Amino acid sequence: DVKVTQSSRYLVKRTGEKVFLECVQDMDHENMFWYRQDPGLGLRLIYFSYDVKMKEKGDIPEGYSVSREKKERFSLILESASTNQTSMYLCASRPTGDYDYGYTFGSGTRLTVV
Amino acid sequence: GQSLEQPSEVTAVEGAIVQINCTYQTSGFYGLSWYQQHDGGAPTFLSYNALDGLEETGRFSSFLSRSDSYGYLLLQELQMKDSASYFCAVEGTYKYIFGTGTRLKVLA
């Protein structure tokens, strides 16, 4: 089974802290994604990466950055956490070109910024 | 811009059939997918339609009409475990755009 593992299930951070969310997948997928999920807003794309060291902005990149130094790992960084970044963060991966496959999501990290 | 619309909530009884609609507006379109998410869980992939028509997978079917920018997910013989949120997602270059989700409540 493909696994996407997010390092933390729950996280509480203080305003202004630098926050790292880690995501690792074990199926050699080229594409990795970070979404945030908020009630009534669905899933919104923050950043994605289609190859090592490559990154593209999604729909809501402000306040975030990402890093993909290795194919299996995609990190989301909150440069200076703010309360409006309190949310559920979901990482996903998918192989290139196989649209029938769909995304495989991690279990999510529920981040609370206080 | 891109947008997807789906109902926020649908309620049905066990054993019934329910249809969840999705209309989309997008500048580039490769296909329409559906995901299921139980409370506290991760979204899981259900189906993908690239061409017009109906795709059936067990109790679930998904339909696409590209000319109408419309699709639906059909759930038959509803079971309590089908209570979840269902998201449609438009496939673009490299990425999806997700709808805001439909919460399905199945009543005994």
Side-chain angles (χ1 to χ4, degrees), chain A residues 9 31 33 35 37 40-43 45 48 50 59 90 94 99-103 105-107, chain B residues 30 33 35 37 40-45 48 87 91-101:
Chain A
R9 186 80 172 109
N31 304 292
F33 309 82
Y35 285 85
Q37 184 173 26
L41 297 177
L43 286 82
L45 181 64
F48 66 101
Y50 52 88
D59 300 313
L90 289 162
R94 192 175 71 173
Y99 295 125
D100 282 334
Y101 191 91
Y103 283 16
F105 281 90
S107 299
Chain B
Y30 291 91
S33 297
Y35 286 76
Q37 185 180 30
T44 56
F45 175 71
Y48 174 72
F87 295 88
E91 179 77 51
T93 306
Y94 291 121
K95 62 178 184 176
Y96 284 146
I97 302 297
F98 283 86
T100 53

Side-chain angles (χ1 to χ4, degrees), chain B residues 7 10 13 17 20-22 25 29 33 39-40 56-57 70 84 92 96 104:
Chain B
V10 172
V13 296
I17 299 172
I20 299 173
N21 299 319
C22 175
Q25 204 170 11
F29 180 82
S33 297
D39 284 348
E56 298 181 52
T57 309
Y70 164 76
Y96 284 146
L104 171 63

Side-chain angles (χ1 to χ4, degrees), chain B residues 68-89:
Chain B
D68 295 324
S69 298
Y70 164 76
Y72 65 73
L73 180 70
L74 190 73
L75 297 84
Q76 302 183 71
E77 300 171 21
L78 278 176
Q79 301 176 9
M80 297 299 291
K81 67 178 181 180
D82 297 329
S83 291
S85 292
Y86 293 84
F87 295 88
C88 59

Side-chain angles (χ1 to χ4, degrees), chain B residues 12-66:
Chain B
V13 296
E14 223 175 349
I17 299 172
V18 71
Q19 179 174 312
I20 299 173
N21 299 319
C22 175
T23 57
Y24 59 87
Q25 204 170 11
T26 179
S27 54
F29 180 82
Y30 291 91
L32 186 72
S33 297
W34 289 92
Y35 286 76
Q36 178 192 59
Q37 185 180 30
H38 288 99
D39 284 348
T44 56
F45 175 71
L46 291 177
S47 67
Y48 174 72
N49 293 66
L51 303 174
D52 287 358
L54 191 68
E55 299 272 349
E56 298 181 52
T57 309
R59 294 186 298 112
F60 292 5
S61 303
S62 56
F63 171 82
L64 175 65
S65 168
R66 295 175 70 114

